[in-house]
Amino acid sequence: MGSLKAFDAATTPVRDINQFLHGDLNGIEKVTIDNPDGAHNLAVGLNAPVAIDIHGHAGYYAAGMNKDATVTVHGNAGPAVAENMMSGRVHVTGFASVGAGASAHGGLLVIDGDAGLRCGISLKGGDIVVGGSVGSFSGFMAQAGRLVICGDAGDGLGDSLYEATLYVRGRIKSLGADARIKPMTEADIAAVDGLLKAAGLDYSAREFKRVSSARTLYHWNADAQQEY
């Protein structure tokens, strides 16, 4: 059985914590970080199947560039939590600020509470499940992956959407350019059921609406007298 390593961020600099996490963990399977007090860049750039528990609120870029690790923020997270995540799992038990899961290529980001503006911006293949609502322009230019929103969505949802798929249980204030509501297929229902189960949320996938791209922005259209 692997061992546990504990850090107190009140006395150990974030640079030292991350330097340890980037090294040879020598069988350590779990790391705890106490008293984060909103510190920035906690547990970034991980590249090992280690479990990280951050007991408190985290600042910006928490668990950014994650690969293989499971990171749990027992509190709220600042801007760009799990930004550019490649794989693994990041779980925020509270709320997340702007740009949550930005450019995530893989893995799963779970946010129990609400997420701010531009959740899932430029998503590139990762999955995001938000237990609450999301702010305006979430899913902006999302290229691949899935964003499940159990609450409401703000203005401009899915603006300039590519091949990512958004699922919304609540009210959509407005859709962005080229985003359309389309029928839920059985494949969509199965996908949402699986993501809700993975996030530990007890909703029916049949309550969700599917938002995807109308694909009218893919190509420049001379006939429509479009200009660069």
Side-chain angles (χ1 to χ4, degrees):
M1 183 176 178
S3 57
L4 167 71
K5 175 71 173 179
F7 288 99
D8 185 345
T11 57
T12 304
V14 171
R15 180 186 294 272
D16 292 348
I17 296 173
N18 285 335
Q19 186 173 30
F20 173 84
L21 294 173
H22 295 163
D24 186 350
L25 297 179
N26 293 317
I28 291 175
E29 294 181 354
K30 185 171 183 178
V31 175
T32 62
I33 302 173
D34 294 324
N35 301 311
D37 197 26
H40 305 312
N41 304 312
L42 282 166
V44 297
L46 300 182
N47 188 20
V50 61
I52 313 289
D53 282 290
I54 299 171
H55 293 287
H57 305 313
Y60 55 66
Y61 295 114
M65 301 179 290
N66 186 57
K67 185 178 179 182
D68 293 334
T70 297
V71 181
T72 303
V73 179
H74 298 273
N76 302 328
V81 61
E83 181 267 345
N84 205 35
M85 177 166 61
M86 304 305 290
S87 62
R89 177 187 174 103
V90 177
H91 183 186
V92 180
T93 66
F95 306 101
S97 188
V98 301
S103 299
H105 290 250
L108 173 63
L109 168 62
V110 178
I111 300 164
D112 289 349
D114 296 331
L117 304 172
R118 301 182 181 88
C119 180
I121 184 174
S122 195
L123 190 66
K124 290 181 172 64
D127 291 320
I128 302 174
V129 180
V130 180
S133 300
V134 299
S136 298
F137 291 101
S138 290
F140 174 61
M141 291 189 69
Q143 297 156 38
R146 299 168 294 186
L147 169 58
V148 176
I149 303 160
C150 297
D152 301 327
D155 278 316
L157 178 69
D159 190 80
S160 302
L161 189 64
Y162 286 85
E163 290 301 306
T165 307
L166 318 180
Y167 301 100
V168 186
R169 179 172 172 268
R171 185 176 65 90
I172 299 171
K173 190 170 182 181
S174 71
L175 293 172
D178 213 38
R180 300 289 185 271
I181 295 177
K182 299 183 181 180
M184 289 281 286
T185 67
E186 290 301 317
D188 290 312
I189 291 168
V192 173
D193 270 336
L195 288 169
L196 291 171
K197 183 177 180 181
L201 295 170
D202 189 21
Y203 293 113
S204 169
R206 297 186 183 275
E207 301 175 26
F208 288 76
K209 298 174 285 292
R210 173 190 174 194
V211 177
S212 57
S213 174
R215 300 182 177 178
T216 60
L217 297 180
Y218 272 36
H219 305 289
W220 180 68
N221 186 348
D223 293 333
Q225 296 181 336
Q226 291 178 344
E227 296 180 358
Y228 285 110

